[in-house]
């Protein structure tokens, strides 16, 4: 005999829900509450009683209009897909050039250059142990290297992202190359990726060469320079990725990133810049973890909070200034060494989270990310993943497809609350610079990292292949690390020596002296002199050493 | 009350990689296990690590390594021996391919830990190495 | 030079490995610790020992790093004892002070040793005095001792250092009141760190006015401003440090240090003093300062501090002062006059000075004040009889600190 089908009137919802809760408890018991990585409690079911469309107009609105919850552009991916911007960096400039041409042929639509660790640390290749060169990025030490790296690449038509912190020598080299080729700087588009100096000091990620306050100054100088002379360039990329990779929860990572952005905006305002001029060129860079819905909610909440900050806290009037533009990278921290092909599934999930979250450009990791810079095959799969999601799964057909989900909207609100609470905390500490100098931010991140590791070790957090579903694996089966060819490196070092010998030493000395003078002056634009020095054939190491002398060596601000 | 002599451990990174989440978690964990930890930021020069180990009379040096930084660990081992500090034990944690692991062990590294290693195992190993060093020094230490 | 066969000679020759191993022995109180202690004792007294204390986050380590830079520029060798707290639950510690002195990490003329407090209260580690002596014997020109940054209780640094610097960051606000309880009394100089911050002037003014209240117009410790990041003020600070050593205060400092040491051991062995919660603030030959926080055990039936407790505090200071020369002296006549009542929770500070002393008789005066506002609470005077026998703790070599636990 059939049970009568209950017809639920709106007023009866509470009772209907209570009925369901009983049935649920009877079937599933009353387990421990589940929490996502940010600590938000996740219920088994969400209903209109959690979030209803009545809130639509105020809290969601339409894509391309305040508060931008559903997307920063009216058309989103229907108008233009997210950029497939794969990080590329390996070996010597010629190797980079070859890989770039491959990726562009496969459909990558924008470039990214990640330099060798030695470059991140501010040294030329001839100043460091040779075995460490070129393993995680491309060695680029001067304008000649940049010319070779970008040989045959139409820099006036493509967007390039230079992963390079203060003093942004890679951008300087690119501008020098543009000048040599007769490409006007007004046609150069792209981003100074990861230019946010605060996150480098917090997460010790790679990138500090110059003391925090010195780096702070150069960031502002280079924003001013770009706004004037390279108007298509995004000089500021504020980074949540490092902090999340260091163990910050998604809510913490978003909050700390916004707090850093607040400091940069306030510095620009204090330097006399107009918010409607510089805010449209602020971009963000986030990690995307495998916690799918949490990431979607994080990004939607981020858009809302940022729009509000721009309009109300910074006083920007142009709606274009309120847009939260961001690049997402699938999180390498979630990937495992065990059963590496599983990482393809993880990267796919992370990419989906970013797409549903409304990012503007996406990098997908190779499945062998845990071992080294990706092999050609892994890089191809990473790009194919994006193509499949867009063109087979049709994820771009609908804008903000998860919008209106009772769960996702509730979670977006909850993530927003967590984010705003942390912003208040940092404000109370005197702003992000002060909080970082006091070690407050580092402590919160360290605590989150330790807590997560303990949950993994206790089995409360599953990592497939590591603490569950493990198989016996022979380490010999793991993909081999691809060490750069030592002979090619040695050839590079020989060419570097020749370059230094053939350039005009007088021009270099003059340019470095001008650079030092600008740094001492406190008012002159330091970055303008970095560009001049790049044009005069000064090397990256020489430029960094000069600025370290004047502005101080970066000291770590870690605490455990 | 005479305290048990706690293990004294340096947690550090040499080479160029700056990812230090792993080393920070390890340092906090060792502290919670009752050890005295000198934690340094990344990018330490080898002579600096040697000087540090000597001044602090460390029992164990833990190197956290990503990318190819482990390739210069043999240089550290040589430097420790040259400074008369061969009794200080070195462990390496991070991304180390199997063939390189053999090279490190041959150079005198006590143990290599790979990603996914349980924190408890690392703590146990460090404690055992420290205890062994204390015993070798005998009551004179 | 083989550090194994002749450790003491190696230490005296400045062999760094021998110094490090000796320090380990002292830290762990191992069998060779006694030999080390005895061996270096005859070779101490040359180094200038500078104690640096102050609230956490106040910039102590950064200041110390700046001091090292200045001292090295003048060709001096420097040793640093950096103390960090051990966890009371796990016993472990992260020794992070030296990370902030990174600019000296490769300098062979600088030796930095981190010590965990291992449960020891007072701002240092139990072995800190011994460790300082090893560096002294090894020939380091300046030994800097950086205390655990609790900000309120590093009075222990008084008995270890020739010169005590108290570092106050700007913007302390109410925390200035908190560090008053005894710690301000011990300072030889105050350093307002991070002096580029807006509150620096106000902090300097507050310190100066508090010092005027406490010590009157004469012989006030200087208040210096530094900005460690630019180096401003550091040269002046080190100039001042050098003048202190040249004025012969080091000789006096050594004797005073011995007296301080003895007084510290005496109060540690005082059962009654421990019972009432007395803490040593400062001591030198013929003077002693102690403090206590008025708690429930000190109250009379009217809910205020018992007169007997005030007397006991004053008598403790008096007793320590008159025994600080190393011979037993006992109170034979004493009296107290109390000017105002004291509430529970107040900190009382009793400062004893020697009015006169002959071979057999001494006269002492004690002022008891309330730390929070320097109000005068009571005044004691006493006559003591000098027995001529040596103070027992001076003989047994009992180390302080153990008894404090």
């Amino acid at each position: 005999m059939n049970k009568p089908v209950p017809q639920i009137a709106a007023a009866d919802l509470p009772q209907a829900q209570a009925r369901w809760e009983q049935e649920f408890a009877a079937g599933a018991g009353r387990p421990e509450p589940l929490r996502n990585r940010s600590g938000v409690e996740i219920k088994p079911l969400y209903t209109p009683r959690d979030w209803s469309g009545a809130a639509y107009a105020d809290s969601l609105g339409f894509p391309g209009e305040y508060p931008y919850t559903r997307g920063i552009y009216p058309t989103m991916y229907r108008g233009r897909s997210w950029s497939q911007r794969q990080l590329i960096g390996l070996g010597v400039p010629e190797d980079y050039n070859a890989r770039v041409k491959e990726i562009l042929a496969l459909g990558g639509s924008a470039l990214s250059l990640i330099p060798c660790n030695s470059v991140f640390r501010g040294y030329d290749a001839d100043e460091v142990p040779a075995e460490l060169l070129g393993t995680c990025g491309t060695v680029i030490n001067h304008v000649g290297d940049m010319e070779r790296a970008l040989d045959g690449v139409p820099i006036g038509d493509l967007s390039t992202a230079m992963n390079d912190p203060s003093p942004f020598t890679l951008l300087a080299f690119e501008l020098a190359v543009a000048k040599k080729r007769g490409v006007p700087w007004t046609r150069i588009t792209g981003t100074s990726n990861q230019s946010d100096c605060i996150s480098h000091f917090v997460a010790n990620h790679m990138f500090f060469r110059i003391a925090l306050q010195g780096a702070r100054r150069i960031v502002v100088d280079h924003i001013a320079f770009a706004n004037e002379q390279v108007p298509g360039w995004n000089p500021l990329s504020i980074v949540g990725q490092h902090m999340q990779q260091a163990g910050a929860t998604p809510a913490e990572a978003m909050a700390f990133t916004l707090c850093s952005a607040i400091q940069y905006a306030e510095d620009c305002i204090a330097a006399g810049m107009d918010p409607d001029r510089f805010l449209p060129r602020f971009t963000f860079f986030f990690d995307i973890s495998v916690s799918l819905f949490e990431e979607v909610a994080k990004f939607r909440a981020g858009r809302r909070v940022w729009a509000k900050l721009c309009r109300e806290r910074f006083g920007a009037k142009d709606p274009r200034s309120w847009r939260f533009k961001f690049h997402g990278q699938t999180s390498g921290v979630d990937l495992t060494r065990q059963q590496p092909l599983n990482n393809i599934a993880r990267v796919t999930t992370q990419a989906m989270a970013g797409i549903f979250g409304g990012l503007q450009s996406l990098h997908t990791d190779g499945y062998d990310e845990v071992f080294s810079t990706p092999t050609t095959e892994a890089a191809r799969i990473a790009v194919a993943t994006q193509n499949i999601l867009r063109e087979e799964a049709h994820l771009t057909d609908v804008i903000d497809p998860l919008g209106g989900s009772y769960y996702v909207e509730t979670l977006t609100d909850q993530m927003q609350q967590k984010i705003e609470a942390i912003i208040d905390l940092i404000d109370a500490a005197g702003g992000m610079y002060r909080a970082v100098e006091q070690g407050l931010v580092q402590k919160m991140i360290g605590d989150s990292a330790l807590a997560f590791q303990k949950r993994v070790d206790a089995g409360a957090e599953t990592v497939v292949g590591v603490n569950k579903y493990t198989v016996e694996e022979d380490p010999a089966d793991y993909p081999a690390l691809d060490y750069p060819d030592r002979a090619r490196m040695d050839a590079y070092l020989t060419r570097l020596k020749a370059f230094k010998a053939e350039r005009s030493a007088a021009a270099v000395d003059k340019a470095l002296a001008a650079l030092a003078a600008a740094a001492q002056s406190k008012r002159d634009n330091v970055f303008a002199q970095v560009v001049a020095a790049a044009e005069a054939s000064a090397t990256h190491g020489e430029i960094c050493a000069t600025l370290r002398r004047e502005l101080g060596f970066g000291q770590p601000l870690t605490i455990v | 009350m005479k305290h048990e002599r706690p293990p004294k451990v340096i947690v550090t990174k040499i080479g160029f990689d700056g990812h230090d989440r792993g080393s920070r978690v390890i340092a906090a964990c060792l502290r919670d296990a009752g050890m005295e930890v000198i934690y340094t930021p990344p990018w330490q020069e080898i002579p600096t690590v040697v000087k540090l180990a000597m001044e602090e009379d460390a029992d164990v040096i833990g190197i956290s390594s990503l990318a190819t930084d482990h390739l210069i660990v043999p240089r550290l081992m040589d430097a420790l021996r040259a400074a008369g500090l061969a009794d200080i034990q070195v462990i390496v944690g991070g991304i180390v391919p199997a063939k390189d692991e053999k090279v490190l062990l041959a150079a005198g590294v006590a143990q290599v830990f790979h990603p996914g290693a349980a924190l408890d195992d690392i703590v146990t190993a460090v404690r055992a190495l420290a205890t062994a060093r204390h015993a070798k020094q005998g009551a004179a230490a | 030079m083989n550090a194994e066969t002749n450790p003491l000679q190696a230490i005296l020759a400045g062999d760094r490995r021998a110094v490090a191993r000796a320090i380990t022995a002292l830290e762990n109180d191992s069998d060779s610790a006694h030999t080390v202690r005895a061996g270096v004792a005859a070779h101490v007294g040359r180094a200038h020992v500078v104690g640096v204390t102050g609230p956490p986050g106040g910039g102590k380590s950064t200041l110390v790093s700046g001091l090292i830079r200045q001292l090295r520029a003048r060709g001096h060798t420097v040793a640093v004892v950096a103390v960090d707290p051990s966890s009371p639950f796990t016993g472990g510690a992260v020794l992070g002070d030296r990370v902030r002195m990174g600019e000296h990490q490769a300098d062979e003329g600088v030796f930095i040793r981190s010590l965990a407090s291992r449960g020891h209260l007072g701002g240092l580690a139990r072995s800190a005095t011994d460790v300082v002596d090893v560096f002294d014997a090894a020939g380091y020109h300046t030994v800097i001792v950086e205390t655990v940054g609790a900000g309120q209780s590093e009075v222990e640094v008084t008995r270890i250092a020739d010169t005590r610097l108290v570092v106050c960051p700007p913007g302390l606000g109410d925390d200035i009141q908190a560090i008053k309880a005894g710690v301000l009394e011990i300072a030889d100089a105050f350093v307002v760190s991070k002096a580029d911050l807006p509150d620096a002037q106000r902090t300097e003014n507050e310190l100066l006015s508090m010092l005027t209240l406490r010590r009157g117009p004469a012989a006030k410790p200087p208040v210096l401003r530094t900005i460690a990041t630019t180096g401003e003020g550091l040269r002046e600070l080190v100039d001042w440090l050098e003048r202190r050593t040249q004025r012969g205060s080091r000789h006096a400092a050594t004797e005073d240090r011995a007296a301080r040491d003895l007084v510290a051991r005496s109060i540690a062995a005082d059962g009654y003093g421990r019972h009432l919660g007395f803490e040593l603030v400062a001591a030198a030959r013929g003077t002693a300062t102690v403090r206590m926080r008025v708690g429930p055990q000190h109250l009379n039936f009217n809910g205020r501090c018992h007169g007997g407790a005030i007397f006991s505090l004053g008598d403790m200071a008096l007793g320590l002062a008159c025994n600080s020369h190393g011979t037993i002296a006992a109170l034979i006549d004493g009296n107290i006059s109390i000017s105002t009542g004291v509430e529970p929770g107040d900190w009382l500070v009793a400062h004893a000075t020697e009015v006169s002393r002959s071979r057999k008789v001494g006269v002492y005066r004690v002022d008891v004040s309330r730390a929070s506002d320097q109000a005068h609470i009571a005044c004691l005077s006493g006559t003591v009889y000098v027995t001529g026998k040596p103070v027992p703790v001076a003989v047994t070599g009992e180390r302080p600190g153990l008894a404090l636990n």
Side-chain angles (χ1 to χ4, degrees), chain A residues 302-331:
Chain A
R303 269 199 291 278
R304 247 192 338 232
V305 175
W306 180 245
K308 191 162 146 212
L309 282 170
C310 289
R311 196 171 76 165
E312 294 172 18
R313 189 159 171 167
F314 311 140
K317 303 195 180 41
D318 186 341
R320 281 173 303 184
S321 306
W322 308 333
R323 290 194 210 131
F324 186 68
K325 293 191 290 181
F326 71 97
H327 167 85
Q329 177 166 336
T330 60
S331 178

Side-chain angles (χ1 to χ4, degrees), chain A residues 206-228:
Chain A
M206 287 304 296
F207 296 74
F208 59 73
R209 307 149 170 162
I210 297 168
L212 180 62
Q213 297 297 331
R216 178 179 190 174
R217 158 132 179 250
I218 300 182
V219 165
V220 178
D221 281 355
H222 128 274
I223 294 174
F225 184 93
N227 281 168
E228 294 295 313

Side-chain angles (χ1 to χ4, degrees), chain B residues 5 23 30 40 65 67 70 74 77 116-117 131 141:
Chain B
R5 178 178 170 185
S23 55
L30 294 174
T40 82
S65 169
H70 63 278
M77 305 307 295
T131 307

Side-chain angles (χ1 to χ4, degrees), chain B residues 2-45:
Chain B
K2 187 165 171 166
H3 291 259
E4 277 296 314
R5 178 178 170 185
K8 197 139 184 214
V9 187
I10 295 174
V11 175
T12 185
K13 289 175 69 73
I14 55 181
F16 286 142
D17 178 66
H19 295 84
D20 65 345
R21 172 180 184 165
S23 55
R24 285 208 232 182
V25 165
I26 298 284
C29 207
L30 294 174
R31 171 200 61 201
D32 291 348
M35 305 192 194
E36 294 176 355
V37 183
I38 312 255
Y39 172 80
T40 82
W43 313 305
Q44 297 303 308
E45 305 274 343

Side-chain angles (χ1 to χ4, degrees), chain A residues 521-548:
Chain A
S521 76
K522 296 201 202 305
R523 304 288 314 213
D524 291 351
N525 191 306
V526 172
F527 182 66
Q529 295 308 320
V530 172
V531 176
E535 289 172 339
S537 296
T539 67
H540 170 75
E542 288 163 347
I543 293 172
C544 290
T546 305
L547 289 172
R548 267 200 218 108

Side-chain angles (χ1 to χ4, degrees), chain A residues 127-138:
Chain A
E127 297 174 294
V128 303
E131 53 265 55
L132 299 180
L133 287 173
T135 56
C136 295
T138 307

